[in-house]
Amino acid sequence: MKMYIGGKWIDGTSPSKIEKLSPINGKRLYSFKGASKDDVDKAIRGAYEAFPKWSSMTEVERSKYIYKALDLIAKSRKELERIIYNENGKLTKEAKEEVDGVIDQMQYYAEFARKLNGSIIEGTTRTRKIFQYLQPYGVVVAITPWNFPAAMVARKLAPALLTGNTVVLKPSSDTPGSAEFIVKKFEEAGLPKGVLSLVAGKGSEIGDYIVSHKDVALITMTGSTATGQRIMEKASSNMAKLILELGGKAPFMVWKDADIEKALKTLMWAKYWNTGQSCIAAERLYVHEEIYDSFVKKFVSMSKALKVGVPSGSGMGPLINSSALESMEKIVDESVGNGGIVACGGSKPKLADSGAKGYYFKPTVIEGLDQKSGLFQEEVFGPVIGAIKVSGKEELFKYANDSKYGLASYLFTKDFALAQEASERVRFGELYINMPGPEASQGYHTGFRMTGQAGEGSTYGILEYLKRKNIYTDYSEE
Ligand code: NAP
């Protein structure tokens, strides 16, 4: 694993090494010297120097690099799927879906090449006009998480580059290989030197430095709320613009008239997709009292039947690392300490051979807790969910909105009025009614409360990368 700085692949110069262990079997996958502050400096300088030329090109010219890179990715997509599989431990099918997402997002953003327009606003007299120009910010720092190690990279690089910004990418230390693959494809596509750099280093080592660097104009980051808050604090020194996509705690609401089979199928996906490690994962289950017992019983039996193990041959793979595994054990212990009843799972599965040393945890459903408990308040980010019985819509909406996070939410009902009311009252950036996620490229992925700031996807997402400059003119002769 090397750094890509100023158009050259070099070894990182951090004194410490990053060791990557396989989530699938606990064995060492690779180790490398991460980026140092000095490497970060060089990358930002390169991006700063490349900005004037890159930003003076047209969107159509810049889009050609994105189309070319996406074509190269599509041609060698199996390799990217394998990297994602190995470093993240996703199911083969999920790794494939992620690469579909990479291609879809790059395509979606590249298509904006002829669609980004400034505007003309009438002034206070007939001869006065205000021309609003859309202009890139400058150097963008893109910080990505490990749970969608390729899709999150594509979702940041494509809009940032198309709009004329230059980018320094800092991927998660847990999954830098997916980022390296994508950057190589941009290099092969002929992207000019300095326009895109890769610095793979520990957030704890280079994070504060990169986000408070004086030459950084915009920071786009996906990750935890705690890291987002820290970035916000550090970036204030420089007033960098922030796009922060942070934690989630999605409520999954099942009303008495729901299509039960569809709700169950969707819940299985929403809870166990990517081993529960998704920002839109169902984290809290609220079921109407009239159907609670039968619904939860069926969900528990489906959860028990879900095969956990080496991702190429199972229904749910491992967690990302040993600390994620420990945090599942802690959540279950705390929940049981608070009076929770483990309806299924709650421990590591007994796996033979290659899976024995991986970071696996059983699908887990916990009942008997109340809304104030940690399981209903803190982000789990794994295959554990709590279930609560609700008696009426006021209680349903109150519980659903009772969260510091506000990204995704789900509702299953055939009652049109309830669905409409939920659309008004549920305070989340996304509400999926009678359907699963994930979010579409043309939707605006954004959250309320501690889920962050700004958003990604849709026209609104691409406009986040552009500043509006106002040119006041007057053609009168007076
Ligand atoms: P994380 O620990 O916050 O890390 C995210 C990124 O921030 C990593 O690249 C990390 O680097 C870096 N980082 C850590 N400390 C930093 C600092 N002081 N300054 C700058 N960067 C720093 O999150 P994660 O564990 O990778 O991802 C899981 C979280 O992401 C969950 O909370 C999930 O809900 C959220 N997420 C949100 C969305 C969304 O769209 N809202 C999507 C996906 C995931 P290192 O890896 O080197 O520590």
Side-chain angles (χ1 to χ4, degrees):
M1 173 78 214
K2 291 191 185 267
M3 312 296 122
Y4 185 62
I5 298 173
K8 287 200 182 106
W9 291 95
I10 55 160
D11 286 321
T13 61
S14 163
S16 57
K17 265 197 164 178
I18 295 177
E19 289 260 310
K20 171 63 188 170
L21 303 181
S22 159
I24 299 170
N25 55 31
K27 288 188 188 152
R28 200 174 83 167
L29 270 182
Y30 51 81
S31 73
F32 64 98
K33 281 180 95 181
S36 64
K37 289 179 187 167
D38 190 42
D39 298 331
V40 167
D41 245 348
K42 286 184 183 137
I44 293 178
R45 202 177 321 130
Y48 192 82
E49 284 165 9
F51 178 71
K53 193 160 176 210
W54 181 245
S55 58
S56 69
M57 290 164 72
T58 64
E59 273 86 11
V60 171
E61 285 167 327
R62 286 192 295 258
S63 73
K64 287 183 185 151
Y65 295 98
I66 300 175
Y67 282 121
K68 179 78 184 148
L70 114 76
D71 188 42
L72 292 166
I73 291 170
K75 281 195 180 119
S76 48
R77 58 170 297 154
K78 290 267 171 243
E79 200 184 329
L80 181 56
E81 286 169 25
R82 201 166 41 252
I83 294 171
I84 297 171
Y85 174 90
N86 283 332
E87 65 180 9
N88 180 280
K90 274 177 205 246
L91 301 183
T92 314
K93 172 177 155 283
E94 291 174 347
K96 190 174 170 299
E97 284 166 2
E98 180 161 354
V99 178
D100 289 341
V102 167
I103 293 168
D104 177 66
Q105 290 183 40
M106 288 176 68
Q107 175 98 39
Y108 176 75
Y109 284 115
E111 284 169 3
F112 271 92
R114 291 170 210 266
K115 295 177 190 157
L116 293 168
N117 301 309
S119 48
I120 304 169
I121 299 166
E122 293 298 331
T124 43
T125 66
R126 181 60 24 221
T127 58
R128 292 185 172 185
K129 308 275 176 214
I130 305 160
F131 293 85
Q132 258 182 5
Y133 282 51
L134 294 179
Q135 293 201 324
Y137 277 76
V139 177
V140 167
V141 162
I143 302 177
T144 52
W146 47 263
N147 63 339
F148 292 93
M152 297 296 115
V153 168
R155 182 150 92 182
K156 295 185 187 307
L157 294 192
L161 293 173
L162 182 85
T163 48
N165 297 281
T166 53
V167 182
V168 176
L169 170 65
K170 196 221 91 59
S172 164
S173 307
D174 257 308
T175 53
S178 305
E180 182 188 37
F181 177 91
I182 293 176
V183 171
K184 279 188 175 155
K185 297 301 160 198
F186 272 103
E187 183 195 22
E188 273 180 56
L191 199 71
K193 287 185 183 22
V195 169
L196 172 62
S197 290
L198 171 72
V199 287
K202 283 263 173 217
S204 52
E205 224 176 289
I206 57 167
D208 288 354
Y209 188 72
I210 197 168
V211 301
S212 58
H213 197 288
K214 69 173 178 40
D215 292 330
V216 170
L218 187 156
I219 297 155
T220 173
M221 177 266 191
T222 301
S224 64
T225 294
T227 306
Q229 284 177 295
R230 188 175 176 105
I231 290 175
M232 218 170 163
E233 194 190 314
K234 300 289 168 192
S236 71
S237 64
N238 201 30
M239 280 292 170
K241 151 127 190 203
L242 297 175
I243 302 170
L244 297 173
E245 298 288 349
L246 310 175
K249 186 81 192 158
F252 195 99
M253 301 172 271
V254 188
W255 199 241
K256 58 188 170 190
D257 61 0
D259 177 333
I260 301 297
E261 294 314 311
K262 199 172 172 194
L264 281 166
K265 193 170 168 223
T266 306
L267 179 56
M268 288 299 289
W269 171 84
K271 181 64 267 182
Y272 303 122
W273 180 47
N274 207 24
T275 318
Q277 303 167 117
S278 119
C279 54
I280 60 162
E283 288 249 336
R284 310 175 274 147
L285 175 60
Y286 301 113
V287 186
H288 192 277
E289 59 186 0
E290 284 178 26
I291 56 159
Y292 178 90
D293 289 343
S294 65
F295 185 88
V296 174
K297 197 170 160 205
K298 280 186 193 152
F299 177 52
V300 166
S301 101
M302 287 167 88
S303 299
K304 278 183 184 162
L306 188 64
K307 189 177 169 212
V308 182
V310 172
S312 55
S314 61
M316 190 177 84
L319 289 148
I320 186 72
N321 54 30
S322 59
S323 67
L325 185 58
E326 280 157 25
S327 89
M328 292 311 116
E329 287 167 336
K330 195 165 156 240
I331 287 159
V332 172
D333 286 350
E334 271 173 18
S335 299
V336 170
N338 289 334
I341 297 153
V342 178
C344 67
S347 58
K348 293 193 275 190
K350 287 194 177 54
L351 296 177
D353 309 331
S354 54
K357 293 218 167 86
Y359 312 121
Y360 300 88
F361 202 75
K362 288 184 197 164
T364 300
V365 182
I366 299 182
E367 295 183 84
L369 289 170
D370 65 24
Q371 177 64 19
K372 289 194 186 69
S373 61
L375 186 57
F376 282 83
Q377 294 295 332
E378 301 305 326
E379 187 179 35
V380 168
F381 225 58
V384 179
I385 190 167
I388 284 183
K389 195 183 281 184
V390 292
S391 55
K393 71 176 183 190
E394 288 310 316
E395 194 176 35
L396 182 70
F397 293 148
K398 186 170 143 218
Y399 285 171
N401 284 332
D402 176 26
S403 173
K404 62 184 167 199
Y405 301 107
L407 185 59
S409 55
Y410 300 83
L411 173 65
F412 278 76
T413 183
K414 289 184 189 136
D415 181 340
F416 181 71
L418 182 77
Q420 285 295 101
E421 195 172 340
S423 308
E424 293 284 346
R425 293 179 61 182
V426 160
R427 307 271 297 156
F428 289 82
E430 281 160 13
L431 172 62
Y432 295 92
I433 301 175
N434 298 329
M435 64 174 285
E439 69 273 14
S441 298
Q442 66 273 29
Y444 185 53
H445 189 57
T446 186
F448 285 63
R449 303 181 285 279
M450 305 290 272
T451 291
Q453 301 215 336
E456 295 183 297
S458 82
T459 312
Y460 301 109
I462 197 160
L463 288 175
E464 302 285 8
Y465 290 91
L466 289 163
K467 263 196 112 67
R468 251 164 224 275
K469 186 197 249 178
N470 296 270
I471 313 298
Y472 286 79
T473 62
D474 187 347
Y475 66 81
S476 75
E477 283 168 10
E478 284 161 28

Short mmCIF file of all heavy atoms in Angstrom, two decimals, residues 143-147 152 155 170-173 201-203 207-208 211 221-224 227 230-231 245-248 279 379 381 407 445, ligand 1:
data_model
loop_
_atom_site.label_atom_id
_atom_site.label_comp_id
_atom_site.label_asym_id
_atom_site.label_seq_id
_atom_site.Cartn_x
_atom_site.Cartn_y
_atom_site.Cartn_z
N ILE A 143 -12.61 12.33 3.44
CA ILE A 143 -12.28 11.33 4.48
C ILE A 143 -13.39 10.27 4.47
O ILE A 143 -14.57 10.60 4.59
CB ILE A 143 -12.18 12.00 5.86
CG1 ILE A 143 -11.12 13.11 5.83
CG2 ILE A 143 -11.85 10.96 6.93
CD1 ILE A 143 -10.97 13.88 7.13
N THR A 144 -12.99 9.01 4.30
CA THR A 144 -14.01 7.97 4.10
C THR A 144 -13.93 6.88 5.17
O THR A 144 -12.87 6.65 5.76
CB THR A 144 -13.85 7.34 2.70
OG1 THR A 144 -12.49 6.94 2.53
CG2 THR A 144 -14.21 8.34 1.61
N PRO A 145 -15.05 6.19 5.40
CA PRO A 145 -15.10 5.11 6.40
C PRO A 145 -14.81 3.75 5.76
O PRO A 145 -14.64 3.66 4.55
CB PRO A 145 -16.55 5.19 6.89
CG PRO A 145 -17.31 5.56 5.65
CD PRO A 145 -16.38 6.41 4.80
N TRP A 146 -14.85 2.70 6.59
CA TRP A 146 -14.51 1.37 6.10
C TRP A 146 -15.74 0.58 5.66
O TRP A 146 -15.62 -0.46 5.03
CB TRP A 146 -13.77 0.57 7.18
CG TRP A 146 -14.44 0.66 8.52
CD1 TRP A 146 -14.13 1.50 9.54
CD2 TRP A 146 -15.58 -0.08 8.97
NE1 TRP A 146 -14.99 1.34 10.60
CE2 TRP A 146 -15.91 0.36 10.26
CE3 TRP A 146 -16.39 -1.09 8.40
CZ2 TRP A 146 -16.98 -0.14 11.00
CZ3 TRP A 146 -17.45 -1.59 9.13
CH2 TRP A 146 -17.73 -1.12 10.42
N ASN A 147 -16.96 1.01 6.03
CA ASN A 147 -18.11 0.12 5.82
C ASN A 147 -18.55 0.03 4.35
O ASN A 147 -19.08 -0.98 3.93
CB ASN A 147 -19.27 0.48 6.75
CG ASN A 147 -19.83 1.86 6.50
OD1 ASN A 147 -19.16 2.71 5.93
ND2 ASN A 147 -21.05 2.09 6.94
N MET A 152 -18.11 4.98 -0.89
CA MET A 152 -17.97 6.30 -0.26
C MET A 152 -16.88 7.14 -0.94
O MET A 152 -16.97 8.36 -1.02
CB MET A 152 -17.64 6.18 1.24
CG MET A 152 -18.71 5.50 2.06
SD MET A 152 -20.26 6.40 2.11
CE MET A 152 -21.33 5.29 1.27
N ARG A 155 -18.43 8.37 -4.22
CA ARG A 155 -19.45 9.39 -3.97
C ARG A 155 -18.83 10.75 -3.64
O ARG A 155 -19.47 11.77 -3.76
CB ARG A 155 -20.35 8.91 -2.82
CG ARG A 155 -21.46 9.83 -2.48
CD ARG A 155 -22.66 9.09 -1.94
NE ARG A 155 -22.63 9.01 -0.50
CZ ARG A 155 -23.56 8.37 0.22
NH1 ARG A 155 -24.54 7.72 -0.37
NH2 ARG A 155 -23.49 8.34 1.52
N LYS A 170 -8.32 10.77 2.13
CA LYS A 170 -7.82 10.00 3.28
C LYS A 170 -8.83 8.90 3.62
O LYS A 170 -9.86 9.14 4.24
CB LYS A 170 -7.62 10.90 4.52
CG LYS A 170 -6.74 10.18 5.55
CD LYS A 170 -7.18 10.34 6.98
CE LYS A 170 -8.11 9.35 7.56
NZ LYS A 170 -7.78 7.94 7.62
N PRO A 171 -8.55 7.67 3.17
CA PRO A 171 -9.50 6.59 3.43
C PRO A 171 -9.33 6.04 4.85
O PRO A 171 -8.37 6.36 5.54
CB PRO A 171 -9.10 5.54 2.40
CG PRO A 171 -7.63 5.75 2.22
CD PRO A 171 -7.36 7.21 2.43
N SER A 172 -10.28 5.20 5.26
CA SER A 172 -10.16 4.54 6.57
C SER A 172 -8.91 3.68 6.59
O SER A 172 -8.58 3.01 5.62
CB SER A 172 -11.38 3.65 6.78
OG SER A 172 -11.14 2.76 7.83
N SER A 173 -8.24 3.65 7.73
CA SER A 173 -7.04 2.81 7.86
C SER A 173 -7.40 1.33 7.80
O SER A 173 -6.53 0.49 7.63
CB SER A 173 -6.37 3.04 9.22
OG SER A 173 -6.14 4.38 9.41
N GLY A 201 -3.44 7.19 6.17
CA GLY A 201 -2.75 7.24 7.47
C GLY A 201 -3.79 7.22 8.56
O GLY A 201 -4.98 7.41 8.31
N LYS A 202 -3.33 6.97 9.77
CA LYS A 202 -4.25 6.90 10.92
C LYS A 202 -4.90 8.25 11.18
O LYS A 202 -4.20 9.27 11.27
CB LYS A 202 -3.46 6.52 12.17
CG LYS A 202 -3.11 5.06 12.24
CD LYS A 202 -4.13 4.33 13.11
CE LYS A 202 -3.93 2.83 13.09
NZ LYS A 202 -5.18 2.08 13.12
N GLY A 203 -6.20 8.25 11.34
CA GLY A 203 -6.91 9.48 11.68
C GLY A 203 -6.36 10.09 12.95
O GLY A 203 -6.24 11.32 13.07
N GLY A 207 -5.20 13.15 11.26
CA GLY A 207 -6.55 13.71 11.10
C GLY A 207 -6.64 15.19 11.43
O GLY A 207 -7.09 16.01 10.62
N ASP A 208 -6.20 15.56 12.64
CA ASP A 208 -6.32 16.97 13.05
C ASP A 208 -5.53 17.86 12.09
O ASP A 208 -5.96 18.96 11.75
CB ASP A 208 -5.74 17.17 14.47
CG ASP A 208 -6.65 16.56 15.53
OD1 ASP A 208 -7.74 16.11 15.17
OD2 ASP A 208 -6.25 16.55 16.71
N VAL A 211 -7.34 18.32 8.56
CA VAL A 211 -8.58 19.11 8.52
C VAL A 211 -8.39 20.56 8.96
O VAL A 211 -9.25 21.39 8.74
CB VAL A 211 -9.74 18.46 9.33
CG1 VAL A 211 -10.07 17.08 8.79
CG2 VAL A 211 -9.46 18.41 10.82
N MET A 221 -16.63 14.38 4.74
CA MET A 221 -16.27 13.23 5.58
C MET A 221 -17.48 12.36 5.86
O MET A 221 -18.57 12.87 6.14
CB MET A 221 -15.68 13.75 6.89
CG MET A 221 -15.32 12.67 7.88
SD MET A 221 -16.68 12.38 9.05
CE MET A 221 -15.88 11.35 10.26
N THR A 222 -17.31 11.06 5.77
CA THR A 222 -18.33 10.11 6.22
C THR A 222 -17.71 9.28 7.31
O THR A 222 -16.62 8.72 7.14
CB THR A 222 -18.81 9.22 5.06
OG1 THR A 222 -19.34 10.06 4.04
CG2 THR A 222 -19.87 8.26 5.50
N GLY A 223 -18.39 9.20 8.44
CA GLY A 223 -17.86 8.44 9.56
C GLY A 223 -18.71 8.63 10.80
O GLY A 223 -19.89 8.99 10.70
N SER A 224 -18.10 8.46 11.95
CA SER A 224 -18.87 8.52 13.20
C SER A 224 -19.13 9.97 13.61
O SER A 224 -18.40 10.89 13.21
CB SER A 224 -18.11 7.79 14.30
OG SER A 224 -16.90 8.48 14.54
N THR A 227 -16.12 11.59 15.48
CA THR A 227 -15.06 12.10 14.60
C THR A 227 -15.54 13.36 13.88
O THR A 227 -14.79 14.34 13.74
CB THR A 227 -14.62 11.02 13.58
OG1 THR A 227 -14.27 9.85 14.30
CG2 THR A 227 -13.44 11.47 12.75
N ARG A 230 -15.21 16.33 16.08
CA ARG A 230 -13.81 16.74 16.23
C ARG A 230 -13.34 17.50 14.98
O ARG A 230 -12.66 18.52 15.06
CB ARG A 230 -12.94 15.50 16.47
CG ARG A 230 -11.53 15.87 16.81
CD ARG A 230 -10.70 14.67 17.17
NE ARG A 230 -9.34 15.13 17.38
CZ ARG A 230 -8.78 15.25 18.57
NH1 ARG A 230 -9.47 14.96 19.64
NH2 ARG A 230 -7.54 15.67 18.68
N ILE A 231 -13.75 17.00 13.83
CA ILE A 231 -13.37 17.67 12.57
C ILE A 231 -13.94 19.08 12.54
O ILE A 231 -13.25 20.04 12.17
CB ILE A 231 -13.84 16.83 11.36
CG1 ILE A 231 -13.01 15.56 11.26
CG2 ILE A 231 -13.78 17.64 10.05
CD1 ILE A 231 -13.44 14.59 10.17
N GLU A 245 -21.35 13.32 6.89
CA GLU A 245 -22.35 12.24 6.87
C GLU A 245 -22.00 11.31 8.02
O GLU A 245 -21.08 10.50 7.93
CB GLU A 245 -22.26 11.48 5.54
CG GLU A 245 -22.56 12.31 4.32
CD GLU A 245 -24.02 12.65 4.19
OE1 GLU A 245 -24.87 12.10 4.91
OE2 GLU A 245 -24.33 13.53 3.37
N LEU A 246 -22.77 11.40 9.09
CA LEU A 246 -22.33 10.72 10.32
C LEU A 246 -23.28 9.58 10.74
O LEU A 246 -23.92 8.99 9.91
CB LEU A 246 -22.16 11.78 11.41
CG LEU A 246 -21.31 13.00 10.98
CD1 LEU A 246 -21.28 14.06 12.06
CD2 LEU A 246 -19.90 12.58 10.58
N GLY A 247 -23.31 9.32 12.01
CA GLY A 247 -23.99 8.12 12.52
C GLY A 247 -25.50 8.09 12.30
O GLY A 247 -26.14 9.09 12.01
N GLY A 248 -26.06 6.89 12.48
CA GLY A 248 -27.50 6.72 12.34
C GLY A 248 -28.04 5.78 13.41
O GLY A 248 -27.27 5.07 14.09
N CYS A 279 -24.93 2.87 7.90
CA CYS A 279 -25.49 4.04 8.59
C CYS A 279 -27.01 4.06 8.50
O CYS A 279 -27.67 4.72 9.28
CB CYS A 279 -24.91 5.31 7.99
SG CYS A 279 -25.13 5.37 6.21
N GLU A 379 -25.68 4.19 18.82
CA GLU A 379 -25.53 3.45 17.56
C GLU A 379 -24.82 2.12 17.83
O GLU A 379 -23.76 2.09 18.46
CB GLU A 379 -24.71 4.29 16.57
CG GLU A 379 -24.67 3.67 15.19
CD GLU A 379 -23.86 4.50 14.17
OE1 GLU A 379 -22.85 5.12 14.56
OE2 GLU A 379 -24.25 4.51 12.99
N PHE A 381 -24.21 -0.44 15.28
CA PHE A 381 -23.34 -0.72 14.14
C PHE A 381 -22.89 -2.18 14.08
O PHE A 381 -21.71 -2.50 13.94
CB PHE A 381 -22.13 0.23 14.15
CG PHE A 381 -21.86 0.78 12.78
CD1 PHE A 381 -22.83 1.50 12.10
CD2 PHE A 381 -20.64 0.57 12.14
CE1 PHE A 381 -22.60 2.00 10.82
CE2 PHE A 381 -20.39 1.06 10.86
CZ PHE A 381 -21.38 1.78 10.21
N LEU A 407 -30.79 9.96 10.46
CA LEU A 407 -30.51 9.65 9.05
C LEU A 407 -31.68 8.91 8.39
O LEU A 407 -32.52 9.53 7.77
CB LEU A 407 -29.20 8.86 8.95
CG LEU A 407 -28.69 8.57 7.54
CD1 LEU A 407 -28.46 9.83 6.75
CD2 LEU A 407 -27.42 7.74 7.58
N HIS A 445 -28.85 12.37 0.24
CA HIS A 445 -28.57 11.60 1.45
C HIS A 445 -28.13 12.56 2.54
O HIS A 445 -27.01 13.09 2.49
CB HIS A 445 -27.48 10.58 1.12
CG HIS A 445 -27.23 9.57 2.19
ND1 HIS A 445 -28.21 8.74 2.70
CD2 HIS A 445 -26.09 9.25 2.86
CE1 HIS A 445 -27.68 7.94 3.61
NE2 HIS A 445 -26.41 8.24 3.73
P1 NAP B 1 -14.73 6.86 12.06
O1 NAP B 1 -14.00 6.06 13.06
O2 NAP B 1 -15.31 8.14 12.48
O3 NAP B 1 -13.73 7.05 10.84
C1 NAP B 1 -14.13 7.68 9.66
C2 NAP B 1 -12.92 8.29 9.00
O4 NAP B 1 -12.45 9.37 9.82
C3 NAP B 1 -11.74 7.33 8.87
O5 NAP B 1 -11.06 7.57 7.67
C4 NAP B 1 -10.87 7.71 10.06
O6 NAP B 1 -9.52 7.38 9.92
C5 NAP B 1 -11.05 9.21 10.05
N1 NAP B 1 -10.66 9.88 11.28
C6 NAP B 1 -10.55 9.37 12.53
N2 NAP B 1 -10.17 10.33 13.39
C7 NAP B 1 -10.02 11.48 12.68
C8 NAP B 1 -9.67 12.83 13.01
N3 NAP B 1 -9.36 13.19 14.24
N4 NAP B 1 -9.65 13.73 12.02
C9 NAP B 1 -9.96 13.39 10.76
N5 NAP B 1 -10.31 12.13 10.38
C10 NAP B 1 -10.35 11.19 11.34
O7 NAP B 1 -15.93 6.01 11.43
P2 NAP B 1 -15.89 4.54 10.87
O8 NAP B 1 -15.79 3.63 12.04
O9 NAP B 1 -14.87 4.41 9.79
O10 NAP B 1 -17.32 4.42 10.19
C11 NAP B 1 -18.47 4.07 10.86
C12 NAP B 1 -19.32 5.30 11.12
O11 NAP B 1 -19.62 5.93 9.88
C13 NAP B 1 -20.68 4.96 11.72
O12 NAP B 1 -20.98 5.86 12.74
C14 NAP B 1 -21.63 5.14 10.54
O13 NAP B 1 -22.96 5.42 10.92
C15 NAP B 1 -20.99 6.25 9.81
N6 NAP B 1 -21.43 6.26 8.40
C16 NAP B 1 -22.27 7.25 8.02
C17 NAP B 1 -22.74 7.28 6.71
C18 NAP B 1 -23.68 8.37 6.26
O14 NAP B 1 -23.89 8.48 5.06
N7 NAP B 1 -24.25 9.15 7.14
C19 NAP B 1 -22.33 6.31 5.80
C20 NAP B 1 -21.45 5.32 6.23
C21 NAP B 1 -21.00 5.31 7.54
P3 NAP B 1 -8.93 6.03 10.59
O15 NAP B 1 -9.62 4.91 9.93
O16 NAP B 1 -7.50 6.09 10.27
O17 NAP B 1 -9.23 6.13 12.05
#
